[in-house]
Amino acid sequence: ILLTHRIPATALHWSFDEGKTWQGPLQIDTVGGAYPSCVELPDKTVYCVYYEEGEGSSICGVRLRVDPQGVTVEPSSSSIETGHLPFGGGTKAWLPNLGKLADGTILCAFTQGTAPRLDSIWIAGTRDAGKSWTSPVKVMDAAPNGYIADPNILVVANRMLD
């Protein structure tokens, strides 16, 4: 079990005994990374996204390796994109959340805007574990006087309705 959080900095704790005991924290980044979200990749590594709090407020990605000795941050490689993801389009991208489709495609939902006015929710996808991303697609705008935040993706299995 991996439990990601933003204090201290961007970090995680892990449990190998179904939550009875916990190890960590392992620092993922030096910035306060809010709303981290993770998915497991086909090679059994974990892809984690979060956004940098503060003026820059970009969405970042990192790859983690989980083995019996614990959890480690993988060094950047050409096979996976780490660092800033190409979202935002001139404003800031916030509050990322990941979901994974049955075919392995990873979806990233995020809000966009300039705080405190987050004005839309977008979705982008990657089929190569973050090396490249589809162009983001707008899901919705906020109401004129509203606030929009905290998108969350849950991918459910294909179902046939009777």
Side-chain angles (χ1 to χ4, degrees):
I1 300 171
L2 300 181
L3 172 65
T4 54
H5 49 83
R6 64 178 170 177
I7 298 174
T10 306
L12 67 85
H13 282 79
W14 65 94
S15 173
F16 289 154
D17 59 8
E18 298 184 2
K20 294 177 188 147
T21 61
W22 291 88
Q23 299 177 52
L26 170 68
Q27 186 170 312
I28 296 172
D29 200 333
T30 58
V31 300
Y35 298 89
S37 179
C38 300
V39 293
E40 188 173 24
L41 300 174
D43 67 358
K44 303 299 182 195
T45 59
V46 174
Y47 189 57
C48 179
V49 297
Y50 53 93
Y51 83 90
E52 297 174 313
E53 291 186 317
E55 192 161 326
S57 192
S58 298
I59 296 177
C60 297
V62 66
R63 188 177 186 173
L64 307 168
R65 174 134 339 254
V66 181
D67 61 38
Q69 288 72 46
V71 181
T72 54
V73 177
E74 288 283 289
S76 182
S77 72
S78 60
S79 64
I80 188 162
E81 182 66 34
T82 57
H84 296 95
L85 277 60
F87 305 147
T91 62
K92 295 180 177 149
W94 310 72
L95 310 170
N97 188 264
L98 297 177
K100 188 168 69 170
L101 301 178
D103 70 0
T105 299
I106 298 169
L107 301 176
C108 182
F110 59 95
T111 58
Q112 188 168 304
T114 302
R117 178 79 174 118
L118 304 179
D119 57 18
S120 54
I121 292 179
W122 296 74
I123 300 263
T126 179
R127 293 183 183 270
D128 55 14
K131 185 176 177 183
S132 63
W133 290 87
T134 62
S135 295
V137 174
K138 186 186 287 188
V139 176
M140 66 181 290
D141 286 315
N145 295 321
Y147 178 80
I148 197 164
D150 304 331
N152 190 304
I153 298 176
L154 172 63
V155 177
V156 295
N158 290 333
R159 298 172 187 199
M160 297 291 294
L161 299 176
D162 293 327

